[in-house]
């Protein structure tokens, strides 16, 4: 059983110290027996929230308070609230635009304000660590996992906007976690499912992938998350960065001079779980230089990982000095972010009261929503065919809306009511909508074509169409219909144009969230100017261009 009210990490036993090095997830909107056991018996350092844990701001505040009450040492309550397409909590907080939308808006101060105001909302509901921002440089159109989670393809722009974001989170009192070191932007594989490789030499990695992380280190970032990616230039033994001492200690600590907390990406991703395994992966990560180990889902794997690290210390595989070094970093960061009183006189968890957080958060939420609107209206990018705007309000407008229907580790499916069709109706259009899956069934494609035959204007809102032959085939068929105005809007990856360069009008919004759809409707109607610029190159359309 965890000793109550530890005054210092030096007072902890070995099991308690190891527990502080783990952040674990659980199912449900209340503490489960499993997570309660991990907190009480193992003294884990924190928990990570997913959409499965969260309903609204009031419930999250209560959950955070309940979990903190179980802990002898205040917990990290962590979340992936990147903004845009990767958010876990939407009810009662502002969904800020994501990184690539901010890259398209191109205003560093908006990047700071988005993070600061989002951080304030998170803190109000008891969340004290955000697993953001992404400092990956997305220069590979075939990247299936980063894409719009990146600020763009230019390392200097990613560095500037990423530093502003991490400063915004930290100024709000929330720990920022820059990810995914040394860089996940130039991969064509998703580490949730397999082990990617970035084959570039050290000179290229230094100029591109590492540049934003050097900037973050210089800016005093609280924590850096590792990538489950192989970098042969630094690790010739084909070991992913998360498990590599050459990368975590040799590169990050010794060469780049980083002194903060190193957090692993979740060890249950297939790149680790289906290769070395979660328990052995935890041992290798800690041995290599990680300070916090993330195991997000299964209790059996969480227990096995905790016990494996404990056994490795007893066997001399992991020196006790490595454990002490890691737990001290974790403790000091908890002090810095106000979880623990710096006097060392005991713990002082920040227990957000649900009703108080709700009342105090109204003004914060209003200011945050204003920031989200400003970014969205600055981000909508017309890449091709701007002379065809505004869309004619006469006749019928059909919106074909592609939507994800299967949750992934990155995107959790929600039913979205505030789509482009609803926003166009507010602009005075006679707009109708037909929805399709990301890989539309024949019946869905037929329904879309049937509805299009009755329309005068067709707006296809794609979602990663470049990865979907079904979406591409339907876009082509709709575009070929005679006597119709046609527009393609890329509502996630901006690279969809590469698959259908013949479309006459092409816009990018980088996400399909309601605030962005309202801004898009304003551009399509002519109420708003299109001010966004491309943060990436799309075939003949270079970064920084717009029409």
């Amino acid at each position: 059983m965890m000793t109550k009210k530890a005054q210092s990490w030096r007072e902890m036993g070995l099991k308690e110290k190891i527990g502080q090095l783990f952040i674990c997830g659980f199912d449900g909107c209340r503490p489960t027996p499993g997570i309660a056991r991990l907190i009480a018996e193992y003294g884990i350092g924190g928990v990570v929230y997913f959409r499965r844990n969260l309903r609204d701001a009031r419930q999250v505040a209560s959950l955070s308070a309940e979990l903190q009450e179980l802990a002898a040492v205040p917990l990290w309550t962590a979340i992936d609230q990147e903004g845009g397409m990767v958010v876990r909590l939407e009810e009662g907080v502002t969904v800020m635009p994501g990184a690539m939308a901010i890259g398209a808006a191109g205003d560093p101060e908006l990047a700071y304000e988005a993070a600061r105001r989002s951080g304030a909302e998170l803190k109000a509901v008891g969340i004290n660590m955000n697993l953001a921002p992404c400092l990956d440089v997305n220069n590979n159109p075939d990247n299936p996992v980063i894409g719009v989670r990146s600020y763009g393809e230019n390392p200097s722009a990613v560095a500037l906007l990423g530093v502003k974001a991490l400063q915004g989170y930290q100024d709000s009192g929330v720990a920022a976690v820059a990810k995914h070191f040394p860089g996940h932007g130039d991969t064509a594989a998703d580490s949730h499912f397999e082990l990617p490789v970035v084959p570039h030499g050290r000179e290229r990695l230094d100029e591109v992938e590492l540049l934003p992380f050097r900037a973050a280190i210089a800016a005093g970032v609280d924590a850096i998350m590792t990538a489950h990616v192989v970098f042969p230039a630094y690790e010739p033994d084909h070991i992913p960065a998360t498990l590599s001492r050459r990368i975590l200690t040799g590169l990050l600590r010794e060469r780049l001079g980083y002194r903060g907390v190193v957090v692993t990406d979740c060890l249950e991703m297939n790149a680790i779980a289906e290769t070395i395994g979660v328990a052995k992966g935890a041992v290798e990560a800690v041995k290599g230089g990680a300070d916090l180990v993330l195991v997000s889902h299964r209790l059996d794997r969480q227990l096995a990982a905790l016990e494996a690290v404990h056994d490795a210390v007893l066997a001399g595989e992991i020196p006790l000095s490595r454990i002490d070094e890691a737990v001290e970093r974790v403790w000091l960061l908890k002090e810095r972010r106000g979880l623990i009183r710096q006097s060392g006189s005991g713990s002082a968890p920040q227990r957000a009261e649900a009703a108080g957080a709700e009342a105090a958060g109204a003004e914060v939420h209003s200011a945050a929503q204003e920031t989200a609107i400003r970014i969205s209206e600055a981000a909508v990018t017309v890449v091709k065919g701007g002379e065809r705007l505004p869309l004619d309000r006469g006749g019928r407008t059909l919106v074909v809306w592609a939507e994800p229907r299967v949750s992934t580790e990155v995107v959790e499916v929600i039913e979205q009511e505030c789509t482009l069709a609803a926003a166009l109706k507010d602009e005075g259009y006679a707009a109708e909508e037909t929805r399709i899956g990301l890989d539309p069934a024949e019946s869905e494609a037929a329904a879309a074509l049937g509805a299009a035959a009755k329309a005068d204007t067709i707006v296809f809102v794609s979602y990663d169409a470049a990865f979907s032959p079904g979406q591409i085939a339907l876009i082509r068929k709709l575009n070929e219909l005679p006597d119709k105005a046609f527009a393609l809007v890329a509502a996630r990856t901006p690279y969809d144009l590469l698959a259908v360069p013949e479309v006459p009008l092409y816009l990018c919004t980088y996400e399909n969230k309601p605030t962005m759809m309202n801004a898009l409707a304003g551009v399509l109607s002519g109420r708003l100017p299109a001010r966004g610029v491309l943060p990436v190159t799309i075939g003949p359309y270079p970064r920084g261009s717009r029409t």
Side-chain angles (χ1 to χ4, degrees), residues 278-336:
V278 175
K280 182 62 174 174
V283 171
E284 293 302 315
V286 173
K287 189 163 62 174
D291 305 307
L292 278 173
V293 175
L294 189 60
V295 188
S296 302
H297 302 289
R298 287 171 39 180
L299 179 62
D300 61 331
R301 287 174 164 176
Q302 293 160 349
L303 292 169
L306 284 156
E307 294 293 345
V309 173
H310 186 264
D311 291 346
V313 176
L314 294 182
E317 184 179 358
I318 299 177
L320 181 59
S321 60
R322 171 80 269 274
I323 300 297
D324 286 347
E325 172 187 76
V327 74
E328 182 178 22
R329 285 198 190 100
V330 172
W331 187 278
L332 290 175
L333 184 55
K334 286 185 174 182
E335 285 187 344
R336 190 180 315 138

Side-chain angles (χ1 to χ4, degrees), residues 99-379:
M100 195 165 284
I102 293 172
D107 186 338
E109 292 311 309
L110 284 177
Y112 173 83
E113 281 301 307
R116 185 176 70 85
R117 296 192 184 282
S118 180
E121 290 189 321
L122 294 176
K123 189 175 181 183
V125 297
I127 294 172
N128 52 43
M129 175 180 279
N130 196 9
L131 305 177
C134 282
L135 297 189
D136 305 296
V137 179
N138 198 87
N139 47 22
N140 187 338
D142 295 326
N143 193 317
V145 65
I146 301 300
V148 295
R149 302 168 68 194
S150 164
Y151 292 102
E153 70 180 18
N154 180 271
S156 297
V158 172
L160 174 60
L161 297 172
V163 164
K164 286 292 187 179
L166 71 88
Q167 289 172 335
Y169 290 127
Q170 291 176 187
D171 285 353
S172 75
V174 171
V177 182
K179 59 189 185 185
H180 305 81
F181 183 84
H184 207 322
D186 196 4
T187 65
D190 183 347
S191 53
H192 291 94
F193 305 110
E194 56 186 305
L195 183 59
V197 177
V198 174
H200 302 298
R202 292 193 178 194
E203 182 177 354
R204 145 60 198 259
L205 293 171
D206 198 57
E207 292 175 353
V208 178
E209 279 76 8
L210 295 183
L211 191 152
F213 289 101
R214 288 202 306 271
I217 292 167
V221 66
D222 282 340
I224 291 177
M225 178 179 281
T226 66
H228 302 332
V229 177
V230 173
F231 291 81
Y234 293 108
E235 180 47 85
D237 293 333
H238 204 76
I239 298 170
T242 295
L243 313 180
S244 170
R245 181 170 178 81
R246 289 186 177 106
I247 291 176
L248 299 189
T249 298
L251 175 60
L252 183 55
R253 297 286 187 205
E254 295 173 0
R255 182 181 163 197
L256 300 184
Y258 181 56
R259 297 292 177 261
V261 171
V262 174
V263 186
T264 73
D265 208 340
C266 179
L267 297 189
E268 292 185 85
M269 292 161 61
N270 283 358
I272 303 297
E274 300 301 321
T275 55
I276 191 174
V278 175
K280 182 62 174 174
V283 171
E284 293 302 315
V286 173
K287 189 163 62 174
D291 305 307
L292 278 173
V293 175
L294 189 60
V295 188
S296 302
H297 302 289
R298 287 171 39 180
L299 179 62
D300 61 331
R301 287 174 164 176
Q302 293 160 349
L303 292 169
L306 284 156
E307 294 293 345
V309 173
H310 186 264
D311 291 346
V313 176
L314 294 182
E317 184 179 358
I318 299 177
L320 181 59
S321 60
R322 171 80 269 274
I323 300 297
D324 286 347
E325 172 187 76
V327 74
E328 182 178 22
R329 285 198 190 100
V330 172
W331 187 278
L332 290 175
L333 184 55
K334 286 185 174 182
E335 285 187 344
R336 190 180 315 138
R337 290 293 151 239
L339 279 69
I340 299 172
R341 288 198 293 269
Q342 294 187 20
S343 64
S345 59
S347 61
Q350 297 174 345
R351 299 180 177 90
E353 294 294 336
E358 183 176 347
E363 185 175 345
V364 171
H365 182 63
S366 177
Q369 185 61 33
E370 181 181 339
T371 299
I373 292 170
R374 289 173 61 202
I375 295 170
S376 297
E377 292 183 350

